[in-house]
Amino acid sequence: MNVSTMTENHNKGARTRAFDQAPGNAWKAWIPALLVLFAIPLLLAGNPFYIHLAVLICLNIIFVNGLALINRTGQLSFCHAAFMGMGAYAAVICTVRFQTPFLISVSAGVAVSMLAAYLLGAVILRLQGVYFVLVTFCFGELFRLVMLEGGDITGGANGIANIPPARLFGFTFDSKLSFYVLAAACAFLSIVFLIALFKTPKGNSLDAVGDNPDLAEASGISIQGSQTFAFVLGSAFAGFSGALLAHYLGFVSPESFNQHISVAAIIMLVIGGRGSVLGPILGALIMTPLPELFRSAIETQNIMYGITLILVLKFLPMGLVGIGAKLRGKKGQP
Amino acid sequence: MKKIAIAGLLCLAGTAFAQEELKIGAIVTLSGAGAAWGQAMLYATELAADDVNAKGGLDVGGKKYKVKVVPYDDKYQAGEAVTAANRLVFEDKVKYIIGPVGSAAALAVTPIVDKNKVVMLTLGFTDKALGKDKAFNFRPNLTTMETSQPQINWIVKAKNIKKVGGLFPNDETGQQIAQDLEKAYSKAGAQLNAKEFFERERVDMMPLLTRMMAKGIDAIELDGNAPGTAGLIVKQARELGFKGFIIRSGGPATPEIVNVAGNGAANGMLVNTPINPANTAVKAYSDRYFAKYKKRMNGFSPAFYDGTHMLLQAMSAAGTTTDTDKVRVALENIKDFKGILGTLNWTGAEVYGAAHQISAPFYIARVQDGQEVIEATCSLTECK
Amino acid sequence: MIRLRAFGDTAVDFTFLIGQALTNGLIIGLLYLLMAIGFTLVFGVMRVVNFAHGEFYMLGAFSAYVCVTKLQLPFLAAVLATFILTLVLGWIIEVVVMKGFRGEELNGMIATIGLAMILQNGALMIFGPDPQSMPAVAEGVVSLGPVMLPMSRLYVVAFSLVVLVLLYGFLMHSKGGRALRAVVQDIEIANAQGIRSQFMYPLGFGIGVALAAVAGALMAPVFSVSPSIGSTPLLKAFIVVILGGLGSIPGAALAALLLGVFESVANPFMSSSFSDMLLFGFVILMLIFRPSGLLGKAGR
């Protein structure tokens, strides 16, 4: 890409700085912009359906942020929905069976996702490219089968219903609006976290690994270490969004975490844009409400998705975020 | 797909000169696994709406209402059904919902419809779809819970069956039905001693059938399978030389099964059917269905046609379309409704805790050259 | 939680069980083989995992269905027509859609996901969701002792074998086939030897997807035909190709037959979802410890 042509004569520090500045370095300007964006649904409080969509957008932002983090180290996970499911199931089982408070349940969900990602990552992250994709694909299927066969623990195909709503510090998030505030806060924090992470040397090393593993290794960055870090953290994001989703919908079932959900996350990421913090936000923002346009004609929707996906890959490999860069006079494009 | 678009256009055209509009939402599966059932429900609702609209609209408290159906696809997924329900309740502001098809989806949308007092007629087979605390849920179709015991009692006795093998899709409907049938067979004095669960998309049943046949079963149970899958099981069982009975204790699908398995393989199959071939009202409905949608009617459709008419009648009786508490009570109070399926009543107080389950006559038929021949007539207590 | 089956409670006819399971397994293994060879050919040439492969199986089934039931063609002609149609379609798709993604593993793969969505939902719009069925090619059953061999499946075996022999002849003894194999093995060396790879990309993709379509056409009379039938064969092709080693044709052949037999023979002893879990677990281990597959060179 644009970076590699610039990097050859530079050291690692200069390279990563250049990379982060390319899609736009006005972080300070668009944090307030984000806050305004998250505040818009509050004005629509009269229509719970829009609030419902806004909640889903926020949860998808967290979910896709996790996938983006993994992808920035050069790996594409095809079992992202499985980690979402793990977080959801673990949190729900804690809430329903052990009556733990919401905060503990969610923490347990995230912890289970992280542990599973660590164990899985330890053995599969030595695989690259399509091999990694295939092994994660298989793992996603395996997870779904295990949930289906889980008997009383997971409720089998019926899943678990009647999950009590989220409660935090004595406040119950049982209305759509209140849950939106919670989800928006979480989504916002996940974004700020990513912005902060990619300003640290650790974050830069993740990009370095994704961009040119050989070069990164030559400059002393551990590929496996960076990828494990991103895989565990990204899966934690997925688990977190799953735990929230389960407490919002009050329901979990294995079909809510199948391959289609993993593919949907990849579509959001690719269309929004890989390699920047803004991409996943754009992807979730656009792709979550889009199906509503086609609610009674689903085939058309999927055909449109397919065509968009191919067109974006062909003409905007950096995703919609790349439009800005293109307009700004093709800076750095070969 | 094209038909849906046209139906949508017709609806739009209809609103232009409508008096007052009454919206009925439909959360139905229009793509993927459950699409055959989703269409059957949606078209039933649309045909019932056509009936009243042709008479100038539904008469409620002296006002005429034009009935409009708003259909959304749930892709057979609980999460999608929740979003569709939110849209219907809050965006389209409907007070009545037909659907969803799947059990998981039915359970997932129940909190939304209950909280917002929306009357819902669902197909969901799970026993948790109805209940004392689910005041607005109704089920206008018979499920395995209702039909299996009387039917299985009769078949086990009449055909002297001891060992039964069953193949079920590994999803919520399949797991539920397997459980119900296992109880029903053991009560009737037979045994469901080979149970196989498989992934919904599976098409090669031979390994599963081989294993079941090795256990020396007398009959294969098909209940719980999608029509196309059931057809494949029949075809492959006969190809493997299975000579015993093939039974379908619920889920009307004979034409689809015969279509896939062929006349020869399907001969002698014993099926549950809500439709007596001698019933001219259903025959007329089926012809109308084909004329409008160019598709053969699925057996669940008449139940939802009657169900929608009961709902509309309840609104007329309650004299309101907006106060759903009154409509719900009026719906509960309907007795001896003359539907195309026969005389219909509500039942289920003992089983579910709420009498929101339809009670309709049904039949046991033998399939002969692709046609159903009635062998016994059943009520919810016994078959004769 | 997991049900391992024993035979303690009921009497079981073992000869029937094992004989039948083995024959079923070999027949289904041949189907997997057709799917997997096409899949591995596409991967070998393009370095792209083709997520739309199952959709070509589906298209092939519909093509045979339309040829036989609507156009009244004989089955053999239907299979031939399917092969030619999908070869041309694959060629066009390669040039129009996939050209920009040659050799780009991740982007190419995501593009095939888009392609799969377009094909599957296009079929849904045209044919509707209901499963269709077409007449069996042959009726009746051949019995070998207690083991039953349905004629309809024996036909599939015969046709598959013919297709495989033709493919073998093409790859081993024709100029185009040799060039294709050279590209699969090492594109740089092939280029250096003057093979026109610009021509090989669409040819490899076209033949690969046409093989999937032929598999679909052959199975159409045995199973039913609907827009969603592609997902299972795709998953099986994945498994076969991982076990056999990505890009390895002999590996795919061995793994396909092994998978077919494993599935059929495992089934009498355990529930099908448990055998699926076992399979996925095994595939994951295989990828980790021997990513080059059963017959591949150790290491990559």
Side-chain angles (χ1 to χ4, degrees):
Chain A
M1 280 275 93
N2 51 351
V3 219
S4 54
T5 49
M6 304 167 61
T7 45
E8 259 124 52
N9 310 321
H10 292 255
N11 62 22
K12 172 198 133 225
R15 191 192 78 84
T16 37
R17 237 177 294 128
F19 184 84
D20 250 18
Q21 281 163 359
N25 62 353
W27 301 113
K28 289 179 194 74
W30 62 270
I31 283 193
L34 267 179
L35 281 172
V36 172
L37 191 68
F38 278 124
I40 291 174
L42 297 177
L43 304 175
L44 303 168
N47 192 324
F49 173 62
Y50 293 142
I51 303 292
H52 172 76
L53 285 184
V55 170
L56 294 185
I57 291 173
C58 290
L59 297 181
N60 274 337
I61 288 177
I62 304 173
F63 184 50
V64 182
N65 268 343
L67 188 67
L69 184 58
I70 300 170
N71 187 246
R72 279 175 86 154
T73 61
Q75 298 284 38
L76 188 63
S77 167
F78 244 80
C79 58
H80 208 50
F83 288 104
M84 186 193 210
M86 255 176 243
Y89 268 98
V92 165
I93 288 169
C94 285
T95 303
V96 174
R97 243 159 228 272
F98 309 114
Q99 276 86 37
T100 54
F102 175 67
L103 207 57
I104 307 273
S105 303
V106 172
S107 312
V110 173
V112 167
S113 299
M114 288 176 89
L115 183 68
Y118 180 76
L119 294 176
L120 185 68
V123 286
I124 69 170
L125 278 165
R126 69 176 89 162
L127 300 171
Q128 301 294 324
V130 286
Y131 290 88
F132 183 81
V133 169
L134 290 175
V135 81
T136 50
F137 186 90
C138 292
F139 182 76
E141 277 295 306
L142 188 62
F143 170 78
R144 195 178 62 84
L145 286 173
V146 170
M147 292 301 106
L148 270 175
E149 290 291 303
D152 285 344
I153 304 169
T154 65
N158 263 322
I160 303 171
N162 295 326
I163 302 163
R167 262 181 82 84
L168 216 52
F169 311 120
F171 182 79
T172 309
F173 295 88
D174 55 353
S175 74
K176 290 195 178 358
L177 196 60
S178 60
F179 195 90
Y180 172 71
V181 174
L182 178 68
C186 294
F188 182 72
L189 286 178
S190 82
I191 296 166
V192 171
F193 179 87
L194 281 191
I195 293 174
L197 175 67
F198 284 101
K199 289 203 165 296
T200 64
K202 182 78 194 165
N204 289 338
S205 69
L206 298 183
D207 270 336
V209 167
D211 215 62
N212 190 336
D214 295 336
L215 190 70
E217 197 163 36
S219 43
I221 301 170
S222 154
I223 297 180
Q224 175 125 20
S226 302
Q227 290 189 339
T228 308
F229 175 79
F231 191 59
V232 170
L233 202 58
S235 300
F237 274 51
F240 183 50
S241 68
L244 289 177
L245 181 72
H247 282 87
Y248 171 61
L249 294 179
F251 187 84
V252 283
S253 74
E255 287 314 307
S256 313
F257 309 107
N258 63 17
Q259 295 300 344
H260 294 289
I261 310 296
S262 294
V263 170
I266 292 172
I267 293 177
M268 285 188 226
L269 178 63
V270 171
I271 290 185
R274 293 163 280 183
S276 72
V277 177
L278 190 57
I281 306 172
L282 264 185
L285 197 60
I286 295 170
M287 302 307 282
T288 311
L290 205 60
E292 294 310 317
L293 291 179
F294 304 96
R295 180 56 78 185
S296 28
I298 224 82
E299 307 96 326
T300 339
Q301 176 205 332
N302 286 336
I303 291 179
M304 295 280 295
Y305 274 16
I307 294 174
T308 316
L309 197 59
I310 290 173
L311 290 180
V312 166
L313 280 169
K314 252 186 160 44
F315 301 109
L316 286 171
M318 296 303 289
L320 294 179
V321 173
I323 295 180
K326 274 203 169 174
L327 291 181
R328 236 176 285 126
K330 304 190 170 182
K331 194 168 58 179
Q333 289 282 4
Chain B
M1 154 62 219
K2 218 177 259 169
K3 266 157 237 148
I4 296 160
I6 292 168
L9 280 178
L10 288 178
C11 287
L12 285 179
T15 55
F17 42 85
Q19 313 83 329
E20 291 262 348
E21 196 177 74
L22 170 67
K23 279 191 206 169
I24 296 183
I27 305 174
V28 287
T29 307
L30 298 175
S31 55
W37 294 317
Q39 285 177 347
M41 289 161 73
L42 173 61
Y43 297 163
T45 313
E46 286 179 353
L47 288 172
D50 288 353
D51 288 346
V52 290
N53 290 342
K55 288 186 204 142
L58 181 70
D59 195 339
V60 180
K63 253 196 254 172
K64 289 279 190 185
Y65 287 87
K66 189 119 192 151
V67 181
K68 180 188 168 188
V69 182
V70 186
Y72 293 137
D73 189 350
D74 69 2
K75 306 187 210 166
Y76 211 72
Q77 279 182 9
E80 293 286 335
V82 168
T83 299
N86 268 301
R87 181 163 175 188
L88 283 173
V89 173
F90 298 118
E91 171 80 359
D92 299 308
K93 308 233 182 302
V94 305
K95 289 281 173 196
Y96 309 94
I97 289 178
I98 307 294
V101 177
S103 299
L107 292 180
V109 303
T110 295
I112 305 167
V113 299
D114 267 11
K115 211 168 165 184
N116 295 286
K117 300 191 172 194
V118 171
V119 179
M120 174 169 100
L121 304 185
T122 182
L123 175 89
F125 263 46
T126 168
D127 55 353
K128 298 190 200 78
L130 303 177
K132 201 177 258 166
D133 53 335
K134 292 157 186 159
F136 293 89
N137 293 17
F138 291 82
R139 186 159 52 203
N141 55 286
L142 294 169
T143 72
T144 314
M145 283 283 268
E146 280 74 49
T147 62
S148 55
Q149 197 64 61
Q151 158 153 4
I152 286 171
N153 284 345
W154 185 88
I155 291 184
V156 165
K157 213 166 138 213
K159 309 289 175 191
N160 190 25
I161 287 166
K162 296 264 178 319
K163 289 182 181 174
V164 183
L167 294 111
F168 307 96
N170 200 0
D171 62 13
E172 79 283 350
T173 313
Q175 291 182 356
Q176 178 70 44
I177 287 178
Q179 227 175 46
D180 292 351
L181 289 179
E182 190 160 22
K183 277 186 216 141
Y185 273 107
S186 70
K187 252 192 192 167
Q191 216 193 337
L192 185 69
N193 56 353
K195 264 191 305 184
E196 295 289 341
F197 291 93
F198 57 87
E199 288 302 301
R200 201 173 247 288
E201 290 86 26
R202 183 172 187 129
V203 286
D204 182 28
M205 303 297 170
M206 283 212 174
L208 307 178
L209 288 165
T210 306
R211 173 164 137 193
M212 285 195 339
M213 285 165 61
K215 291 191 178 171
I217 51 170
D218 311 315
I220 293 175
E221 174 63 74
L222 295 178
D223 193 4
N225 284 294
T229 313
L232 285 176
I233 296 173
V234 173
K235 182 170 163 181
Q236 294 175 22
R238 292 300 184 214
E239 279 178 351
L240 272 179
F242 179 71
K243 300 265 182 338
F245 288 98
I246 296 180
I247 304 169
R248 186 168 171 91
S249 293
T254 304
E256 292 95 334
I257 293 176
V258 172
N259 186 25
V260 173
N263 272 347
N267 264 352
M269 197 168 71
L270 292 167
V271 298
N272 167 299
T273 174
I275 298 159
N276 185 341
N279 182 338
T280 50
V282 174
K283 178 81 180 63
Y285 173 77
S286 159
D287 291 345
R288 211 178 125 202
Y289 187 104
F290 189 83
K292 181 161 179 189
Y293 301 108
K294 302 283 171 280
K295 285 218 164 108
R296 266 181 311 175
M297 179 194 78
N298 173 280
F300 275 121
S301 196
F304 276 85
Y305 177 74
D306 281 346
T308 308
H309 269 302
M310 287 170 86
L311 178 64
L312 294 172
Q313 183 185 317
M315 287 180 222
S316 291
T320 171
T321 60
T322 47
D323 187 346
T324 46
D325 273 313
K326 279 189 187 155
V327 175
R328 169 177 69 90
V329 174
L331 185 55
E332 283 171 350
N333 287 338
I334 293 180
K335 286 205 174 60
D336 296 330
F337 180 86
K338 297 279 176 259
I340 55 173
L341 286 177
T343 307
L344 309 179
N345 280 296
W346 294 111
T347 179
E350 316 83 64
V351 188
Y352 305 108
H356 287 187
Q357 165 64 46
I358 206 81
S359 154
F362 66 99
Y363 310 89
I364 301 174
R366 183 169 42 81
V367 176
Q368 193 59 54
D369 299 326
Q371 300 299 317
E372 291 177 342
V373 182
I374 301 292
E375 291 231 324
T377 303
C378 305
S379 70
L380 296 194
T381 45
E382 64 166 339
C383 293
K384 276 185 281 213
Chain C
M1 172 181 157
I2 285 156
R3 297 176 300 264
L4 260 174
R5 302 288 167 98
F7 298 99
D9 51 343
T10 32
V12 169
D13 184 344
F14 262 101
T15 0
F16 165 71
L17 199 63
I18 299 300
Q20 191 72 51
L22 271 176
T23 26
N24 289 346
L26 285 174
I27 295 172
I28 291 297
L30 274 174
L31 160 72
Y32 294 164
L33 181 52
L34 281 180
M35 280 302 286
I37 287 189
F39 188 82
T40 208
L41 203 58
V42 171
F43 182 82
V45 176
M46 321 259 307
R47 312 310 292 174
V48 163
V49 168
N50 182 13
F51 270 80
H53 206 63
E55 307 316 326
F56 285 97
Y57 172 92
M58 179 271 296
L59 283 185
F62 267 113
S63 157
Y65 169 75
V66 169
C67 286
V68 170
T69 59
K70 301 272 153 43
L71 307 176
Q72 315 290 338
L73 290 178
F75 186 65
L76 184 62
V79 175
L80 258 178
T82 300
F83 181 81
I84 293 165
L85 278 175
T86 44
L87 179 66
V88 172
L89 180 70
W91 191 295
I92 295 172
I93 287 178
E94 206 288 330
V95 173
V96 176
V97 179
M98 300 304 296
K99 200 172 179 178
F101 304 114
R102 289 171 185 165
E104 275 196 60
E105 289 190 351
L106 287 186
N107 281 357
M109 187 186 72
I110 302 170
T112 63
I113 293 176
L115 191 59
M117 293 172 96
I118 297 172
L119 293 176
Q120 183 179 359
N121 290 284
L124 199 58
M125 273 172 99
I126 298 170
F127 299 105
D130 300 329
Q132 311 287 332
S133 74
M134 58 188 277
V137 184
E139 299 273 345
V141 176
V142 179
S143 57
L144 288 175
V147 178
M148 297 288 179
L149 298 172
M151 282 300 284
S152 58
R153 291 198 178 201
L154 288 180
Y155 255 83
V156 173
V157 172
F159 274 87
S160 310
L161 289 175
V162 170
V163 171
L164 288 173
V165 167
L166 288 176
L167 182 72
Y168 182 84
F170 169 74
L171 286 177
M172 291 301 172
H173 301 292
S174 79
K175 202 173 157 219
R178 276 199 296 267
L180 204 55
R181 271 192 305 136
V183 172
V184 171
Q185 267 155 17
D186 196 322
I187 189 133
E188 275 153 27
I189 296 177
N191 273 336
Q193 285 172 343
I195 289 167
R196 284 157 54 218
S197 58
Q198 288 315 308
F199 181 71
M200 287 299 126
Y201 284 114
L203 181 70
F205 191 82
I207 291 183
V209 300
L211 283 174
V214 165
L218 288 178
M219 297 320 279
V222 178
F223 302 137
S224 55
V225 184
S226 84
S228 58
I229 54 173
S231 61
T232 314
L234 175 69
L235 201 60
K236 302 297 180 195
F238 266 14
I239 294 173
V240 167
V241 165
I242 294 170
L243 294 180
L246 275 170
S248 156
I249 293 175
L254 177 67
L257 295 177
L258 280 181
L259 176 66
V261 171
F262 166 77
E263 281 189 338
S264 293
V265 175
N267 252 305
F269 300 97
M270 61 188 83
S271 74
S272 74
S273 37
F274 183 63
S275 76
D276 280 355
M277 279 191 238
L278 210 63
L279 197 60
F280 282 120
F282 181 67
V283 165
I284 292 175
L285 290 179
M286 188 78 189
L287 270 172
I288 296 166
F289 295 109
R290 207 181 157 79
S292 54
L294 293 171
L295 296 182
K297 309 171 280 264
R300 275 179 299 128

